[in-house]
Amino acid sequence: MGMNMSEKILARHAGLESVKAGQLITCKLDMVLANDITAPPSIKKFEEIGRPVFDNEKIALVPDHFQPAKDIKSAELAKAVRDFANKWNIVNYFEQGRVGIEHVILPEKGIVGPGMLTIGADSHTCTYGAVNGFATGVGSTDLGAAMATGEAWFKVPEAIKVNLTGQKPENINGKDVILTLIGMIGVDGARYKSLEFTGPGVKELTMTDRLTIANMAIEAGGKNGIFPFDEVCKEYVEGRVKKPYEPVEADADAQYCQTVEINLSELKPVVAFPHLPGNTKRVEDIETPIAIDQVIIGSCTNGRLEDMQIAAEILKGHKVADRVRCIIIPGSPAIYKESMRLGYIDAFIDAGCSVSTPTCGPCLGGYMGIMAAGEKCVSTTNRNFRGRMGHVDSEVYLAGPHVAAASAVLGRIATPEEVK
Amino acid sequence: MKLEGKVWRYGDNIDTDVIIPARYLNSFDPKELASHCMVDIDESFSQNVKAGDIMVGGKNFGCGSSREHAPVAIKASGVPVVIAANFARIFYRNGINIGLPLLEIGDDVEKISADDQLRVDTATGVIENVTTGDVFHANPLPGFIQDIAKAGGLINYIKEKK
Ligand code: SF4
């Protein structure tokens, strides 16, 4: 019986010929990741085991959530991570000024690649499926144990095949694809399962689109999301991933528990209403205008160069609406610098946006854009749970950079076409 | 483990931001986390929960972030077991790893209401609703996951295996 992409990666790392859904296995890991919130408790667990790190080149520590430190406690967290990195000579530790959002910089720097198995103490670790890897989020105990053993246990997930067809229209990007999918299958539609994106539509998607889509597999409850290795992926990873890598391809007779069809040609810009990523609606179907107070463009979902470009093209020559705050956060130093070189940052500042150093910041309600009671935000982030970005009575509407930028200009949730 | 306690009942898709909001994540002291547990939807929980009380949720309990702070906050509140229709994956994993038993009972969860008294045997998965007389059976833990649970969590399990 054939295997799908996820099964192949898991089997290879378990040292088995084949695996099947439901099987419990122990796998060797290529990369383990933690951030400034999850690393300190992981370190504590790691120390309880009392062994050295399994490999100082296979651990990534990314202080991105509350850093540059927003308060004393956050500074203590960062210090704990820094001290650990020094003690064990962790190669992939990133200091302020060099750090970006974890799921932006790991693919960008080629730390994760095709066929690789990664766990991260962060639920959006699933992002690396975009580069044909198996990557999934775990908690701090798993992570602490993995730093000592280089292994983790897995239950082989069943897989949902997402068959992409058609052509991606202008003004549609990865965020519209994934929000549409979550709207279709629900926030638990892929619970415990893998999402495998295949079909002729895959080639329509840029790497940025794929990273956005894989990033939000977890918002459908998924264990991971994974894309095939094709020319687009090859071009992206070549020169970045320095280690040898072995891409995976699904067998023709691979098993799937369900197939979902998405015709890209039919997509329209969508937004997810509070308080679930599955509350999606086409922007054009919004009947009563929704006035907003804030726009966030950034995060591990949409903080990449292409997102900056989409936002800049809409904001250029326009002004952010009166009494609306638009905060733009490039996901990595490299993206920040390129955005500057290409004039995007000028366009943002001229439009009246504030631009921040890379950080998760407001995405998880950390800092740098927290909302008061009753406020509404259009955000390119990935979660709109109650209280996610501040007061419990504030509201987050999730959208792509195109809708976010257009909404900033018009002061209400809008499609990019409405900005003339 | 045999347990008996009063039910704190919550609905579907209880996410980790609700269990412990990010604004409290600059600490990982279990007691401090417990003092903010569920505040955004139920301020009375952290004030009134008693050791041995049981938390019961609906579908997809614990969805959202990977923060282990969420099951830790619940456990440190004195809750010895969480019952739900089903759990989100990372939360489930974290529960096992930190030694907080999680029992999945599907639609039967509808037959449990706030303040019911439950008797739970985590080893057999048998749950008795003392208030209504209903009895439910949770799926047992598979394979070596049983052993992790028995060891009281992943860290002990690894230490024992060595
Ligand atoms: S940007 Fe948001 S979702 Fe992404 S890692 Fe940071 S906090 Fe998590």
Side-chain angles (χ1 to χ4, degrees), chain A residues 35 64-65 101-103 122 124 215 299-301 359-361 363-364 381-383 388:
Chain A
N35 58 50
D64 54 356
H65 277 57
I101 299 171
E102 49 199 314
H103 311 308
D122 190 281
H124 292 101
N215 174 269
S299 84
C300 60
T301 318
T359 177
C360 295
C363 169
L364 77 161
T381 55
N382 45 41
R383 292 202 171 122
R388 173 82 176 174

Side-chain angles (χ1 to χ4, degrees), chain A residues 136-137 140-142 153 191, chain B residues 22 40 68 87 89 93-94 97:
Chain A
T136 190
S140 293
T141 298
D142 267 317
W153 62 268
R191 207 171 47 87
Chain B
D40 283 354
E68 202 161 288
F87 293 92
R89 189 191 70 83
R93 198 178 170 101
N94 288 344
N97 284 341

